[in-house]
Structures are given as structure tokens and as C-alpha cells.
Amino acid sequence: MKFLIASALTIIFHLAQAALDAKALTSQHFGNDAPWYLSRIPLFESSDKTLEEVYYYRWSIFRAHQRDLGSNGFISTEFLNDVGWQTEPWASLNDATGFHLQEGRWCRDRRFKEDYATFIYSGDSNTRQFSESMAAAVWQGYLVDGVLEDAVARIDAMQAVYNAWVDSYDADKGLYWVEPLRDATEYTISSIDASGGIDGFTGGDSFRPSINSFQYANAKAISNLAALKGGMDDTVVSFNSKAASIKNNTQTSLWNTTLIHFIDRFKVNNTYVRYFTPIRGRELVGYVPWTHDLPDDTISYAQAWSHILDNSELAGEHGLRTNEPSYEYYMRQYRYEGSNPECQWNGPVWPFQTTQLLTGLANFLDHYAVGASTGLITKTDYNKLLRQYAQLHYNPDRGGILDIEEDYYPDTGAPIVGLKRSPHYFHSGFIDLILSGFVGIRACADDVLEVNPLADASTTYFRADSILYHGHDIAVQWDATGARYGTQGLQVEVDGVVATSSPELTRLSVPIARVAAPAVARPVAKSVQLGLSTTYPVGNVSVTDPAPVLADIHSAIDGRVFFFPEADVANGWDTPVGNGSEVWFQIDFGASTTVASAELAFFADGGQGFDTPASYRVQGDVDGVWGDVEEAKYGEVVGNGITNVEWKGVSVEKIRLVFKPKVGSKVRLVEFKVF
Ligand SMILES: *[C@@H]1O[C@H](CO)[C@@H](O)[C@H](O)[C@H]1NC(C)=O
Ligand SMILES: *[C@@H]1O[C@H](CO)[C@@H](O)[C@H](O)[C@H]1NC(C)=O
Ligand SMILES: *[C@@H]1O[C@H](CO)[C@@H](O)[C@H](O)[C@H]1NC(C)=O
Ligand SMILES: *[C@@H]1O[C@H](CO)[C@@H](O)[C@H](O)[C@H]1NC(C)=O
Ligand SMILES: *[C@@H]1O[C@H](CO)[C@@H](O)[C@H](O)[C@H]1NC(C)=O
């Protein structure tokens, strides 16, 4: 009895001491916007403060890129600003979807990844714009949350998308080909060389390690999901055999024994290049097969990993090059917007592919026997590369602030493109690298929780907690000496109880019975207007001098909420400088609409002259008569976060946010979201 009480007390004492303080951490990293994150994100701390800081920054990227499509739910965007090639009116781009889902699988609120998966497999999205690994990413999401009904819900659409790629399949070679631009990687060796070195934005169709690995992983995912769903034996068998065939043909045809690397072979046959000849150099894309566990576990394929450790090959001083300095057109700049260099893949460091590489390296070190045994590349290298990538998030061109952009100079770590659309670009991952790699949660379909941290002796402590896995709350903690958390070693906690531990950083595994994941809440915003159009709902403002800019008014009802201070990504409608009088922002629903609450997002930045309003209220237009909404509970107004209001539900045709800017300050209304 005494013993039992003592051990129970030890557990309670221990947990109270070690559990991370969600309120303190979210408030430290997200300020007034902390409530959005509080119950949604896993917490992480580490003796490496850069990894910790970038981890939370990446959650701010995830949050900022959640676009609310109203009744269509949420999707993730790639750019904060609209770009000409996005799919309208959503602003979706399917090249980044795999990363978005892979990051989103760690969000405790499954709504974001589930809404997004529903969207991408609906008729609204452009599933064929770019090569994609969407089915594979949905599968990876299932491995974390364990919710089968959601994962199998789009299995028919997954097969249809998969099968549509037959238009890029060469039956003779048993391989898929792609134009590098459609792989979202313009100016690779194949496209430059197919132009005779003149250009390379378009063209250069080739059999690439990327698309073949994607289709391999998509086929595996479909086969796995069909097996879990049951009653789909033909699908299980046929997609498994498609995967096996792609794997075989990739290994047989794209592995180059001279370069000791997976490389492209040309599909195009023209004056400069010949069908099925190999390209003439190594590219970072040659590791994408490991991102998706395609290669066999052999010593010969394993040799490829040496190229990212060699300064004359793919190892740049500040990041991994996308191809090597020996290539004739390495880092030659072909394309500009004005005088700004545009995106290219002939050498620059790309967070996009660095993420794929680090996922692949984690796979290689975790479950390839040659990865663990040969010492060709080690955990130490993984930690160095992860830190080098984390460092890239600090933008030297913007005073060292946290700002991830498209691509970087390998020699300096400075961004190359730096356009208006570039800040806080979301076409890569980091959260997933930390949780599945560094912390080592190897999500799997079995009723098992397996943890194999890739963190090495350079880390004296880390703790990741508030992670939802198969319906349970889990935590992983490492303390080299016991000085940080009071217990030396590695331990895995399930629902607040230590489930297994070891004095070393090593693989730990515990059985874990699946329990239902928390229910998903899906309030639908009625205010969202996706396109800059005159269809309802439509915004309007009281201010006529200066004449309001329609795009700015639209920006306050476009479903995008973020508060980054950079002028390039300003988001919302700005009032004139306050003079003591009220202004209003109106939404006309075009028909009687029942409304009962709102989320107001105000930007605040004293340096730029923006502050929260001195006062605000909500008015409805009932049968043409304006009046304040009844029984309103006005939340305390906050800047760079959400101000909540609710009232007695009422049917209105129009609604207004009436507010008084402080004298001498402007108000930027980032979003007026009405439910
Ligand atoms: C493997 O690929 C090679 C080359 O594409 C092909 O000749 C061979 O028949 C394939 N083997 C199997 C078992 O599919
Ligand atoms: C490629 O082009 C050359 C020259 O036009 C031609 O001789 C050859 O047959 C073509 N190869 C294929 C596979 O089309
Ligand atoms: C590997 O690629 C290089 C460069 O294109 C080529 O010269 C070489 O012949 C290829 N090796 C094999 C074994 O095909
Ligand atoms: C918008 O509001 C202004 C007053 O600020 C008014 O003159 C104008 O008619 C309104 N436009 C629409 C379309 O309601
Ligand atoms: C005060 O500001 C309001 C709203 O911007 C504007 O309509 C009004 O003309 C201003 N009054 C003066 C005296 O400048």
C-alpha cells in the first residue's frame, strides 16, 4: 500500500514537473493569437533553441496558410498572396499538398487536414496541375490519427486521380515521365539540356525519380487503404502490383551505376537530347525514392548518400544544392521578374526538396538495415542537416527575422527570389521532420507506438507533448542527465503515464489500443467571399475618402487570417487615421441570413501606425432598419489575434462592424468572419 501510494505520487509529481506549459509557450510564440494554437498544436522544447523557435514559427506558417473556404471548409495555400497560376477561386495549388498534409497530420484538430483532403479529391480542385503524392500523404495522416473512416472516404477519387496519370506513363518502359515545370521544379538538368542550354523553364520531359516515387507511394497507399476498408481485394492486388512494377523499373532504369545515384532519363527526343539517355549529372531529386521507401535495402543504393556529404557535390555551405557545381549551367540565372531572379532548380537550395531529403534520410536511418549499419551517413549528419535547414528560416535580407521563402544561395544562405509573393512560403515541411525524425515518432498502422529519436548526443534534452496519436495523448522526453526533467533518459508517456523508458536515445515501442479520436467541430463562416467579385456576400465600407480599393475590402472577407508585419503580405482593409469618429465595414449577404457570432481580426503594429479600435459594436440590418445586435457579448479587443463577439441570433440581410479608430492611429481589419 505504502509503495503504491508512493509510486502514484511519484508519477503525479513527475508529470506536474515535466509537462510543458501550453499557455506559456503559445503565448511566448504567438502573442495574442495564442488561443488559436493552445489546444491545436503539440508542444516541443529542446536544448537546441533554434529548432524550438523554428518549430513554433512553422506552426504560424501552418495557421497563416489555412484558408477558410466557408462551406467548403479549410485548405492550405502555398503563397500568402494570390499568384497567377493558382486554381481559382480557392487559391489552391496541388504541388504543395503533400507537405501541407504531412505537417497537418500533427495538428490536434483534424479538421484542417480532413477538410483539405475532401477538397483535393473533389471536383473543385485541380488534381493534375502538378505531379503529386496526395494519396500517400492522406495515408501518412491516417498513421497518426488512426481514423479509418476518414482515410478510406476518398478511395474512389484516389484511384481516379492515380489512373489519370496514365497520360504520363510510358508503357514500354513501365515508368512515368513529367515536364520539370509540372514537377514544380523548373530549370533542372533535363529541361535546360533539352533546350540546348538556352532556357529550361518549360520542356525537358523526362522519367524522373520524383514522379515515379510519388506514384509508387500513391499506389501503396491506395492498396493499403483498400485492404483496411475490406471487400476490395482486386484493388489491393492491382495497386500493389503497380507499386512493385514502378519500384522495379525505377531501380532498373533510373539508377545510374556510374554516378551512383537515381537520375532522370529523357522522354523528350530532339536535336539536343535523345529518348531514354540519362541526364548528365546528379540532382537532389535522386533521394526522393527514399522519401517514399522505394529503394531496396542494399549497399549499392545506400552509396548514394555520400553525395550530400561532399562539398564538391550536393553539400552547399548553407544548404543542399539541387544539382552539382560540375554541371555546365549550375546556378546560371535564366529567368527574372523585372530585375529579380525567379525560381530555378539548377543548384539553389530548396526547402521543398530539403524536406523530402530529410524525410528520406530519416527513413534510411530508421528502417534500412544498411542505413543503421554501414556508417555511410549517420544521425550526426542528420542533426547537422536539420540544423542547417532550421537556420535557413532566418532571412538575412530582412534583418534575420523568421521568414522562409522559395529558394536560397547555397554559398550564403540568402534567399534568391525575394518577391512580394515570397514571405512565409509554404511549400516544405518542418514540424513533421521534428516529430517523426528528431523526436522519432514512427507513426504506423498497427496498434503500436514506436519511437526512435534521431536526436543525438548534441541534444541534452527535448520534450514533445500534447501529441494525439491513435486517439491517445502522448509525450516523448529525453534528458541526458536528469537535470532538466528530474529523470535521466528517454521516456514515452501515454495518457500521462510513463509507458516505457531507456537510459539511452534508442528505439522504444509500446502496444497502444486505438481509441476514438476527438470529434471534429466544423462551424461554417457565412461571410467568406473567395473571389474578387460582386456576387454575395460582398463587402463595403463607410469611408469614401480616400476611395476604397475593392481588393482591400475583399481582403477582409477572403477567409485568410494572418498578422505578419511585412508590407509585402499586408492582409486586410485599412481605415484612415482616426479622428474620433466611427467608421463601418459592412457585409451584404444578399439574402436574409441568420447570424449569431463573429471573429474579428485586427492587425496592430505601432511602428506602422496601426492599432486596435477604441470601441466597436455589431449592427444588423433587419428589414432595412439598422440596429445594434441584441444581448451582445463583446470580447476584449486584441491586436494580432481574434476578438470574439456573440449575440442573440438574428436574421439580417446586411451586417456591420461599427468601430472607432483611436485618434492618430489607423485600424487594419484583417478579417470580419461571421457565423
Ligand atoms: C524489372 O524491370 C526491368 C526493366 O524495366 C524489366 O526488364 C523486368 O522484366 C522487370 N522485372 C519484373 C519482375 O517486373
Ligand atoms: C529520336 O530522334 C532521332 C532523330 O530524329 C530518331 O532517329 C530516333 O528514331 C528517335 N527516337 C525515338 C525513340 O523516337
Ligand atoms: C550514367 O549517366 C552518365 C551521365 O549521363 C552516363 O555517361 C553514363 O553512361 C551512365 N551510366 C550508365 C551505366 O548508364
Ligand atoms: C457602399 O457604401 C457607400 C457609403 O460608404 C455607399 O455610397 C455605396 O452606395 C455603397 N455601395 C454598395 C454597393 O452598397
Ligand atoms: C473623420 O474621419 C471620418 C472617417 O474617416 C471622415 O469621414 C471624416 O470626414 C473625418 N472628419 C474630419 C473633420 O476630418
Side-chain angles (χ1 to χ4, degrees):
M1 188 62 184
K2 233 178 187 171
F3 170 77
L4 283 179
I5 292 169
S7 62
L9 282 177
T10 314
I11 289 170
I12 290 161
F13 172 69
H14 164 74
L15 284 179
Q17 199 180 44
L20 299 176
D21 184 339
K23 274 221 147 111
L25 281 166
T26 52
S27 134
Q28 176 193 339
H29 291 282
F30 309 112
N32 286 345
D33 204 23
W36 189 90
Y37 300 87
L38 187 63
S39 60
R40 289 194 169 105
I41 69 166
L43 305 168
F44 171 68
E45 75 163 16
S46 162
S47 51
D48 186 321
K49 291 299 158 192
T50 301
L51 293 184
E52 184 179 318
E53 196 172 46
V54 175
Y55 172 83
Y56 287 102
Y57 167 66
R58 293 297 304 225
W59 275 113
S60 80
I61 298 257
F62 180 80
R63 146 68 156 162
H65 283 272
Q66 291 306 323
R67 187 175 194 196
D68 189 339
L69 306 181
S71 54
N72 285 288
F74 283 87
I75 63 162
S76 295
T77 57
E78 180 177 334
F79 296 94
L80 292 179
N81 292 330
D82 287 317
V83 293
W85 58 96
Q86 69 195 24
T87 301
E88 298 288 11
W90 329 102
S92 60
L93 282 164
N94 78 322
D95 50 336
T97 302
F99 296 104
H100 298 159
L101 291 172
Q102 196 91 0
E103 294 288 90
R105 70 183 181 144
W106 299 104
C107 184
R108 295 172 58 90
D109 185 346
R110 293 188 297 116
R111 176 177 190 184
F112 300 103
K113 84 174 180 14
E114 291 309 317
D115 280 8
Y116 192 25
T118 302
F119 170 83
I120 59 175
Y121 284 113
S122 76
D124 290 328
S125 84
N126 184 349
T127 50
R128 308 292 317 292
Q129 187 170 5
F130 293 99
S131 59
E132 45 80 23
S133 54
M134 301 189 306
V138 169
W139 170 251
Q140 292 292 327
Y142 163 71
L143 296 185
V144 172
D145 69 27
V147 182
L148 184 61
E149 311 83 83
D150 287 343
V152 299
R154 308 109 189 166
I155 198 160
D156 295 340
M158 282 178 180
Q159 292 179 69
V161 173
Y162 184 97
N163 291 334
W165 283 103
V166 71
D167 64 4
S168 304
Y169 186 70
D170 186 318
D172 188 34
K173 304 297 182 195
L175 287 169
Y176 290 89
W177 51 270
V178 67
E179 181 186 32
L181 179 60
R182 199 179 182 194
D183 227 2
T185 62
E186 55 272 39
Y187 296 96
T188 62
I189 294 179
S190 71
S191 65
I192 295 172
D193 284 358
S195 78
I198 306 292
D199 194 22
F201 181 54
T202 59
D205 294 356
S206 60
F207 301 97
R208 309 200 75 207
S210 50
I211 189 167
N212 286 291
S213 302
F214 298 164
Q215 285 293 78
Y216 167 78
N218 287 335
K220 279 268 189 205
I222 292 167
S223 173
N224 288 337
L225 288 170
L228 288 174
K229 186 169 183 194
M232 298 184 73
D233 291 354
D234 292 352
T235 310
V236 175
V237 171
S238 77
F239 276 84
N240 231 338
S241 97
K242 289 176 206 288
S245 157
I246 298 169
K247 173 183 164 112
N248 171 50
N249 292 322
T250 299
Q251 294 192 144
T252 314
S253 299
L254 302 187
W255 177 256
N256 179 294
T257 53
T258 318
L259 295 176
I260 315 181
H261 207 61
F262 287 105
I263 61 168
D264 301 8
R265 294 176 93 136
F266 292 103
K267 164 78 166 78
V268 53
N269 189 43
N270 67 17
T271 322
Y272 306 108
V273 298
R274 281 286 171 268
Y275 176 79
F276 222 59
T277 57
I279 60 167
R280 57 170 154 154
R282 290 184 203 100
E283 296 184 319
L284 202 63
V285 73
Y287 297 99
V288 174
W290 281 278
T291 313
H292 298 288
D293 280 330
L294 181 149
D296 281 330
D297 192 356
T298 67
I299 187 73
S300 60
Y301 296 135
Q303 304 294 324
W305 288 99
S306 67
H307 311 308
I308 54 163
L309 301 178
D310 187 329
N311 293 332
S312 69
E313 297 179 347
L314 293 166
E317 203 184 323
H318 291 266
L320 294 168
R321 302 176 175 117
T322 43
N323 58 42
E324 299 185 350
S326 56
Y327 175 51
E328 183 180 1
Y329 302 114
Y330 173 74
M331 293 300 286
R332 175 180 292 191
Q333 191 65 38
Y334 288 93
R335 191 160 174 264
Y336 294 85
E337 186 192 278
S339 58
N340 265 81
E342 259 288 5
C343 293
Q344 296 190 181
W345 284 74
N346 55 342
V349 179
W350 276 86
F352 164 176
Q353 213 151 64
T354 304
T355 305
Q356 292 172 319
L357 178 122
L358 285 166
T359 300
L361 181 52
N363 286 339
F364 183 69
L365 293 172
D366 178 69
H367 49 263
Y368 277 70
V370 283
S373 64
T374 57
L376 269 168
I377 188 161
T378 64
K379 277 189 181 188
T380 307
D381 300 308
Y382 177 87
N383 282 273
K384 276 192 203 147
L385 290 167
L386 181 66
R387 292 196 167 100
Q388 184 187 54
Y389 173 40
Q391 201 54 49
L392 221 52
H393 288 73
Y394 297 86
N395 184 347
D397 291 352
R398 292 185 192 251
I401 61 160
L402 279 164
D403 168 36
I404 190 79
E405 302 201 348
E406 290 105 322
D407 62 340
Y408 294 82
Y409 292 104
D411 298 342
T412 67
I416 297 177
V417 172
L419 289 168
K420 196 172 156 54
R421 61 162 205 248
S422 302
H424 313 297
Y425 180 62
F426 192 18
H427 193 175
S428 60
F430 189 82
I431 294 158
D432 186 57
L433 300 178
I434 291 292
L435 295 177
S436 74
F438 184 83
V439 172
I441 301 163
R442 308 302 310 182
C444 74
D446 299 335
D447 288 347
V448 168
L449 167 60
E450 187 176 61
V451 176
N452 183 27
L454 293 180
D456 67 359
S458 61
T459 300
T460 51
Y461 66 84
F462 71 76
R463 180 177 168 91
D465 72 24
S466 307
I467 301 160
L468 264 181
Y469 179 77
H470 293 199
H472 296 274
D473 229 294
I474 65 162
V476 182
Q477 173 180 301
W478 161 248
D479 189 341
T481 63
R484 180 73 185 180
Y485 304 118
T487 313
Q488 188 281 330
L490 176 68
Q491 69 181 35
V492 175
E493 299 162 24
V494 177
D495 299 324
V497 176
V498 177
T500 177
S501 63
S502 162
E504 313 285 327
L505 277 166
T506 187
R507 188 187 306 271
L508 291 175
S509 169
V510 284
I512 191 167
R514 212 165 289 249
V515 295
V520 178
R522 286 198 165 81
V524 171
K526 297 170 177 169
S527 50
V528 174
Q529 174 55 260
L530 298 175
L532 185 56
S533 71
T534 51
T535 55
Y536 298 110
V538 66
N540 195 12
V541 294
S542 61
V543 175
T544 51
D545 181 23
V549 177
L550 285 181
D552 294 346
I553 295 176
H554 173 244
S555 176
I557 52 169
D558 69 351
R560 291 169 161 123
V561 179
F562 53 86
F563 305 99
F564 292 117
E566 293 80 54
D568 280 345
V569 289
N571 178 23
W573 172 69
D574 298 352
T575 67
V577 174
N579 62 11
S581 66
E582 283 188 325
V583 298
W584 50 252
F585 185 101
Q586 168 186 299
I587 300 169
D588 185 346
F589 297 108
S592 188
T593 302
T594 304
V595 292
S597 68
E599 292 175 2
L600 316 176
F602 297 111
F603 174 69
D605 182 342
Q608 297 186 55
F610 289 99
D611 201 349
T612 52
S615 62
Y616 73 96
R617 61 209 161 97
V618 174
Q619 291 195 322
D621 169 32
V622 180
D623 301 327
V625 181
W626 286 100
D628 289 1
V629 291
E630 291 173 12
E631 295 173 32
K633 285 189 213 125
Y634 291 108
E636 187 199 344
V637 65
V638 294
N640 303 328
I642 302 301
T643 301
N644 290 289
V645 200
E646 50 185 69
W647 58 86
K648 187 181 160 198
V650 59
S651 285
V652 297
E653 193 140 330
K654 302 190 187 90
I655 192 166
R656 279 180 185 171
L657 175 65
V658 183
F659 59 100
K660 193 185 289 180
K662 289 175 188 154
V663 174
S665 292
K666 294 178 283 183
V667 170
R668 175 174 296 160
L669 179 62
V670 170
E671 192 79 9
F672 179 24
K673 210 187 260 199
V674 183
F675 298 89

